[in-house]
């Protein structure tokens, strides 16, 4: 049984209240611990069991940054890129975000079915973009100049279901993520990565190899593993 803890004091009140309306009155200890690490700029992987609430761990820092960034003159002083292995998972996440009814959150799915006119709006205005590694490789990165304002403000990259990226497929995704880091640096940003994974023996190693950076793992025992 998880241990409920208080909300981190940096979580935007609008975000906290939105989760409260959804019946989430407090985060679990492992969610708060992972969120705290990410908020401090530490790359982290949440490797806990099914239905353990991995999403809240990355949503606390990601949504807080996006909502606070809405106060910038261009409306997106901070942006978030969410990557999932399937369009279905991204659309589920988008539906959950929409149901939170955050007034300052501009979120959108960017995939092969997205019409051209919507793509233009997403590039210019969205603060929370949900896509997949294929679209990142084929569209966003080759056309990075059109994504300049989004990349310049890129604060978090969420890699959901990261245990899926194994073998040759995993090596390809790892190269795409390294390219994303280089392109983000071109525009002056250094996003924090938050990965979510099914429980694995050494998630800090596998996630670190995928991202190409040192990663701290939060596991079922809520003890951080890996470099701090």
């Amino acid at each position: 049984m998880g241990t409920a803890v208080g909300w981190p004091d940096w979580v935007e009140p609008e975000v906290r209240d939105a989760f409260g309306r959804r019946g989430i009155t407090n985060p679990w200890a492992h969610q708060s611990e992972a969120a705290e690490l990410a908020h401090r700029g530490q790359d982290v992987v949440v490797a806990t069991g099914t239905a353990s609430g991995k999403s809240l761990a990355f949503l606390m820092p990601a949504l807080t940054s996006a909502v606070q960034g809405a106060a910038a003159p261009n409306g997106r002083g901070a942006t978030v890129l969410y990557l999932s292995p399937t369009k279905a998972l991204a659309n589920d996440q988008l539906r959950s975000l929409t149901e939170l009814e955050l007034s300052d959150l501009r979120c959108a799915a960017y995939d092969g079915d997205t019409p051209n006119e919507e793509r233009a709006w997403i590039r210019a205005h969205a603060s929370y973009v949900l896509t997949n590694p294929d679209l990142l490789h084929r569209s966003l990165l080759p056309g990075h100049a059109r994504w300049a304002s989004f990349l310049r403000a890129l604060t978090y990259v969420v890699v959901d279901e990261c245990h899926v990226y194994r073998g040759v497929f995993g090596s390809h995704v790892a190269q795409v993520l390294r390219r994303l880091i280089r392109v983000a640096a071109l525009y002056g940003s250094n996003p924090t990565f938050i990965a979510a994974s099914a429980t694995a023996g050494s998630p800090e190693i596998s996630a670190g190899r995928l991202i190409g950076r040192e990663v701290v793992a939060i596991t079922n025992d809520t003890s951080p593993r890996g470099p701090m």
Side-chain angles (χ1 to χ4, degrees):
M1 186 68 177
T3 302
V5 297
W7 293 94
D9 57 10
W10 48 261
V11 173
E12 183 69 20
E14 183 184 358
V15 173
R16 182 194 61 217
D17 293 344
F19 283 116
R21 292 193 298 270
R22 302 288 297 169
I24 302 173
T25 56
N26 290 96
W28 300 116
H30 71 275
Q31 295 169 325
S32 179
E33 192 165 13
E36 286 282 6
L37 288 171
H39 180 67
R40 297 204 302 262
Q42 170 66 59
D43 297 323
V44 61
V45 56
V46 187
T48 57
T50 302
S52 60
K54 290 186 281 289
S55 293
L56 184 60
F58 62 73
L59 286 174
M60 281 189 279
L63 291 179
T64 291
S65 68
V67 169
Q68 292 176 343
N74 68 350
R76 57 178 184 181
T79 59
V80 177
L81 182 66
Y82 169 93
L83 302 173
S84 74
T86 66
K87 290 193 294 184
L89 179 57
N91 286 327
D92 283 345
Q93 283 287 322
L94 178 60
R95 183 165 50 252
S96 296
L97 290 173
T98 303
E99 289 173 351
L100 288 174
E101 298 180 336
L102 293 166
S103 60
D104 292 325
L105 181 67
R106 293 181 289 187
C107 56
Y110 187 92
D111 57 40
D113 295 327
T114 306
N116 286 335
E117 59 273 18
E118 288 187 26
R119 293 188 180 204
W121 182 90
I122 291 168
R123 289 192 296 267
H125 302 292
S127 57
Y128 198 117
V129 174
L130 303 96
T131 188
N132 54 70
D134 186 58
L135 262 290
L136 177 61
H137 168 64
R138 294 177 180 273
S139 181
L140 195 156
L141 292 175
H144 60 80
R146 294 183 297 172
W147 288 85
S149 64
F150 180 88
L151 291 166
R152 190 174 295 117
L154 188 58
T155 304
Y156 291 104
V157 177
V158 177
V159 185
D160 208 352
E161 302 290 332
C162 70
H163 56 278
V164 170
Y165 305 121
R166 303 174 183 172
V168 174
F169 179 42
S171 69
H172 288 173
V173 173
Q175 294 304 315
V176 171
L177 295 181
R178 283 157 176 75
R179 187 179 175 198
L180 171 62
I181 292 170
R182 293 196 300 272
V183 170
L186 177 67
Y187 292 97
S189 66
N190 180 29
T192 298
F193 280 75
I194 312 173
S197 172
T199 304
S202 300
E204 69 279 9
I205 294 176
S206 58
R209 287 173 177 167
L210 180 67
I211 297 168
R213 307 201 302 207
E214 294 182 339
V215 176
V216 170
I218 300 298
T219 58
N220 285 324
D221 62 7
T222 72
S223 300
R225 293 161 52 176
M228 295 296 288

